Amino acid sequence: MTEDEQLSASLRELRQNGGEVLLSDLAGGDWDTVYVSPEPVSRNFVEKQVGVPVPMEDEFTQRGHVLVFLKDGAVQRATFTTPNLLRDGTYAAPVRLRARGYPALIDIES
């Protein structure tokens, strides 16, 4: 699993400047659900949350989040973003990100 550097940069910019945007506009792809992990997290924990195997290492120990994008219950993409800017949880599309500006975390609303 690799970092989505473009998404990480977009999230940092959103947090810094504030504003509102759909996650699909930043992340792209065809998905209907996104799972955002807490940190650190194990593959076993992520797979229990999403209900299917996820292509990732056994332990994610970096500062940031694992994001698993699903479509009809199947993994479309698993990636991570840095640093830790999002609130963990499972969200249905369309997911709206709302930032009040630094130093607050980005709120996620389905």
Side-chain angles (χ1 to χ4, degrees):
M1 184 171 57
T2 59
E3 179 181 6
D4 185 327
E5 293 178 9
Q6 182 176 345
L7 181 54
S8 290
S10 295
L11 291 172
R12 283 191 299 272
E13 182 179 327
L14 178 64
R15 181 186 188 203
Q16 185 66 37
N17 298 330
E20 218 175 285
V21 66
L22 292 174
L23 179 56
S24 58
D25 289 345
L26 298 181
D30 184 21
W31 51 274
D32 57 24
T33 306
V34 62
Y35 168 74
V36 181
S37 77
E39 63 169 18
V41 70
S42 70
R43 181 179 60 209
N44 185 47
F45 181 84
V46 172
E47 289 178 345
K48 284 181 181 178
Q49 298 301 307
V50 300
V52 295
V54 176
M56 63 179 282
E57 53 275 350
D58 289 339
E59 297 289 329
F60 179 79
T61 58
Q62 298 186 49
R63 184 164 162 76
H65 290 285
V66 171
L67 282 80
V68 181
F69 295 93
L70 303 130
K71 173 83 175 191
D72 299 324
V75 174
Q76 300 302 300
R77 179 168 65 119
T79 188
F80 69 91
T81 59
T82 60
N84 180 359
L85 300 176
L86 301 171
R87 300 188 189 283
D88 58 301
T90 301
Y91 305 94
V95 176
R96 180 169 298 282
L97 305 178
R98 183 171 293 150
R100 294 168 292 186
Y102 183 82
L105 290 179
I106 298 171
D107 292 321
I108 304 175
E109 303 167 356
S110 290

